[in-house]
Amino acid sequence: AQSVSQHNHHVILSEAASLELGCNYSYGGTVNLFWYVQYPGQHLQLLLKYFSGDPLVKGIKGFEAEFIKSKFSFNLRKPSVQWSDTAEYFCAVRPGEGTGGFKTIFGAGTRLFVKA
Amino acid sequence: GAGVSQTPSNKVTEKGKYVELRCDPISGHTALYWYRQSLGQGPEFLIYFQGTGAADDSGLPNDRFFAVRPEGSVSTLKIQRTERGDSAVYLCASSSDRGSYNEQFFGPGTRLTVL
């Protein structure tokens, strides 16, 4: 069965610190990978996604993530966080197109708090 | 344009009652998803519609849960004989096509509390 593991439930950083949130997934086939963000009081929204090609993907607001197939990982990074990055971040995996699967599996989320 | 909307935003009910939760997807979106998010967890997939039909309902926890999308637009999630464990935020998302390449747009959710 598919599963997604996010290593940190809570992260506290000071502004300008670098960020890396870990995500590992369990699935044997082709996958699509996502990071979603939920800012306080707002809806879940897509931060970035990986389907194929370059394993280093760029998202909005300076975020990036790297797909390492051999490690089943898709870690999220940002070189310098801002107070406005305070939010909850969810990693998600979905079977790749053509596999017949539509179920997106989410991790438990990581709450990031950035101190001004 | 308008995003995904969900009504009600909050629903409080008593154990054993029946509830209906509504989702209005983005106009023209053919794919619609329901998720359940419990406290401290990520969204949990419940069901996926492509048009009017449920293409994947493998996430529905038991037969007390049912969802419909009769005209391929608005969807209703129905929960019979509610239990305290059903308390959660129920999220709806829509996307423009069935393909994996299309982003899911999420609604604000309905917070269901079963007393």
Side-chain angles (χ1 to χ4, degrees):
Chain A
Q2 296 168 276
S3 66
V4 177
S5 175
Q6 293 184 238
H7 312 306
N8 309 98
H9 294 293
H10 293 89
V11 173
I12 301 174
L13 294 173
S14 298
E15 275 197 313
S18 64
L19 170 71
E20 181 159 4
L21 301 182
C23 173
N24 284 89
Y25 68 93
S26 172
Y27 184 70
T30 304
V31 293
N32 300 141
L33 296 159
F34 308 84
W35 275 97
Y36 284 86
V37 61
Q38 188 166 24
Y39 297 102
Q42 296 188 25
H43 311 175
L44 267 171
Q45 58 185 280
L46 185 67
L47 200 55
L48 49 78
K49 60 189 177 187
Y50 171 81
F51 292 128
S52 63
D54 188 345
L56 184 63
V57 293
K58 305 283 188 185
I60 60 172
K61 303 186 180 184
F63 286 90
E64 65 179 31
E66 184 176 13
F67 171 49
I68 303 179
K69 189 175 181 179
S70 61
K71 295 184 178 181
F72 296 90
S73 70
F74 190 56
N75 293 354
L76 181 71
R77 299 195 292 251
K78 185 171 183 179
S80 176
V81 295
Q82 300 173 313
W83 176 80
S84 58
D85 293 324
T86 294
E88 189 158 18
Y89 294 81
F90 294 93
C91 181
V93 63
R94 177 179 179 171
E97 189 162 16
T99 64
F102 305 99
K103 182 185 294 189
T104 304
I105 305 297
F106 284 79
T110 297
R111 286 184 181 268
L112 171 66
F113 179 73
V114 180
K115 298 183 290 185
Chain B
V4 177
S5 63
Q6 293 185 244
T7 54
S9 55
N10 280 284
K11 175 70 177 178
V12 180
T13 191
E14 293 179 342
K15 180 174 177 292
K17 299 289 188 184
Y18 167 82
V19 296
E20 289 189 351
L21 311 179
R22 176 186 168 109
C23 172
D24 280 89
I26 292 172
S27 178
H29 278 192
T30 57
L32 186 146
Y33 306 79
W34 282 101
Y35 295 86
R36 176 171 69 175
Q37 187 172 16
S38 301
L39 196 62
Q41 301 296 317
E44 173 193 5
F45 171 86
L46 296 178
I47 187 169
Y48 160 71
F49 285 91
Q50 178 58 35
T52 60
D56 185 348
D57 64 358
S58 62
L60 294 177
N62 51 59
D63 62 6
R64 294 187 297 105
F65 288 75
F66 189 69
V68 296
R69 196 186 184 200
E71 298 178 355
S73 177
V74 170
S75 177
T76 304
L77 179 66
K78 308 180 180 194
I79 310 174
Q80 298 177 321
R81 303 184 304 280
T82 51
E83 299 177 356
R84 292 194 181 88
D86 299 335
S87 296
V89 176
Y90 289 81
L91 297 170
C92 177
S94 70
S95 67
S96 60
D97 201 351
R98 58 183 287 162
S100 297
Y101 291 86
N102 294 299
E103 177 182 350
Q104 293 180 40
F105 293 86
F106 282 83
T110 293
R111 182 176 297 279
L112 174 66
T113 303
V114 182
L115 301 176

